[in-house]
Amino acid sequence: MGYTTIKIRTETKKRLMQIAGELEAARGEEVSLNEVIEHLIENYRTRSRKPLNLADLDHLAVELEEDASEKIDDILYRKSRH
């Protein structure tokens, strides 16, 4: 397996190092920046795979009162006038 060089900002490197410190504390062993990046990629993929549960949205819509949109308009327009 080969390695490559990537350019990142100093602030990004600091943030990666902070995450490395957290992972090291959790694992009890040293962690490379490569492992940090792999961890972040896996977290991203795991979160991105969660399907949208439309049944939850239906439940929210059912809970709204019939005049809810009018109440929301009243609140929004009242606030924007002041």
Side-chain angles (χ1 to χ4, degrees):
M1 186 175 346
Y3 289 90
T4 188
T5 302
I6 60 171
K7 291 183 179 184
I8 58 173
R9 292 187 205 136
T10 303
E11 183 60 31
T12 303
K13 182 181 176 187
K14 287 179 187 177
R15 293 168 70 188
L16 286 171
M17 296 300 288
Q18 289 172 341
I19 295 169
E22 292 173 16
L23 288 174
E24 287 176 3
R27 295 179 181 179
E29 60 187 26
E30 255 186 57
V31 176
S32 70
L33 289 181
N34 189 70
E35 290 173 299
V36 172
I37 293 169
E38 287 175 352
H39 171 79
L40 292 172
I41 291 169
E42 185 57 34
N43 257 344
Y44 173 78
R45 286 186 174 161
T46 302
R47 287 191 316 169
S48 296
R49 288 184 194 147
K50 292 181 182 177
L52 179 61
N53 187 349
L54 295 178
D56 289 342
L57 298 176
D58 289 340
H59 177 69
L60 291 174
V62 171
E63 288 184 18
L64 291 175
E65 297 174 10
E66 287 183 28
D67 63 346
S69 64
E70 293 172 16
K71 290 180 182 178
I72 292 169
D73 286 346
D74 288 344
I75 292 168
L76 290 175
Y77 291 123
R78 188 172 354 131
K79 286 183 180 179
S80 65
R81 283 187 231 153
H82 293 117

